Amino acid sequence: MAPVRRKRVGVLISGRGSNLAALLAASRDAAFPAEIALVISNLANAGGLAVAEAHRIPALTIAHRDFPRDRARHEAAITTELERHGIEIVCLAGYMRLLTPFLVTRFAGRMLNIHPSLLPAFPGLDTHARALAAGVKLHGCTVHLVTERMDEGPILAQAAVPVRPGDTPNLLGARVLAQEHLLYPLALRLFASALPGTAAAETAALCNPVSD
Ligand code: GRF
């Protein structure tokens, strides 16, 4: 059987890039159906840029500050680079800008995000503190398709962790982050395999509330 062509993935970041690192590590396996072909940050000091450079992946800063009050032009610049690099799938990995319909539509059905909660619970920011305040016993992370409404697209995969007595947002967040690093590569693997021209579609559900 002919090897499946690896899908070209662009990763958008704003921060330290630990999820980017997890995707890069997974994609080093030749059997992984996607390759990280471009990393774009909106912040020049994002730690993830150094992660990309260490892996010799093209990494660019397209600073939103260079496009004051003009989200559309900022996203047009991002789109130009994504298209110039032949990007087929976009992964948001800690990208801290709200997207306009322009970019979302351009990559409709081909843009993934990882969010640090079990959506639809706790969309938005400060998810770990809000989960603790709500008294939930299970928390976790979600990989979903990006739509025009923030943190609301179809869910592709989730991983759950227990909330432990004495947890702080940092402790709980670290437990969730360890699962993010497993979940995002898993979700991308299944998603990229299922894009047209490759194997049949699958969905993922990873639920391991007692295994962290
Ligand atoms: C992660 O918690 C992710 O779920 C959220 O932003 C954080 C990014 O962390 N969207 P990192 O930059 O991947 O380390």
Side-chain angles (χ1 to χ4, degrees), residues 35-47:
E35 61 176 312
I36 312 303
L38 178 65
V39 173
I40 298 178
S41 173
N42 65 308
L43 295 173
N45 62 356

Side-chain angles (χ1 to χ4, degrees), residues 116-194:
S117 78
L118 292 173
L119 290 172
F122 313 118
L125 299 174
D126 299 324
T127 54
H128 310 311
R130 287 161 58 210
L132 289 175
V136 297
K137 301 299 182 199
L138 281 177
H139 186 43
C141 51
T142 302
V143 176
H144 64 96
L145 284 173
V146 175
T147 58
E148 289 182 23
R149 294 167 68 95
M150 190 185 70
D151 300 333
E152 280 196 16
I155 290 171
L156 299 176
Q158 291 185 309
V161 301
V163 178
R164 297 238 162 96
D167 263 350
T168 63
N170 281 348
L171 281 172
L172 182 56
R175 196 174 303 129
V176 170
L177 190 64
Q179 294 303 315
E180 293 185 34
H181 296 162
L182 300 176
L183 189 70
Y184 215 173
L186 169 70
L188 178 59
R189 180 166 64 77
L190 294 173
F191 184 79
S193 306

Side-chain angles (χ1 to χ4, degrees), residues 15-20 93-96 113-116 177 180-181:
R16 71 194 152 183
S18 69
N19 278 289
L20 167 65
Y95 185 66
M96 299 302 286
N113 181 44
I114 186 154
H115 180 77
L177 190 64
E180 293 185 34
H181 296 162

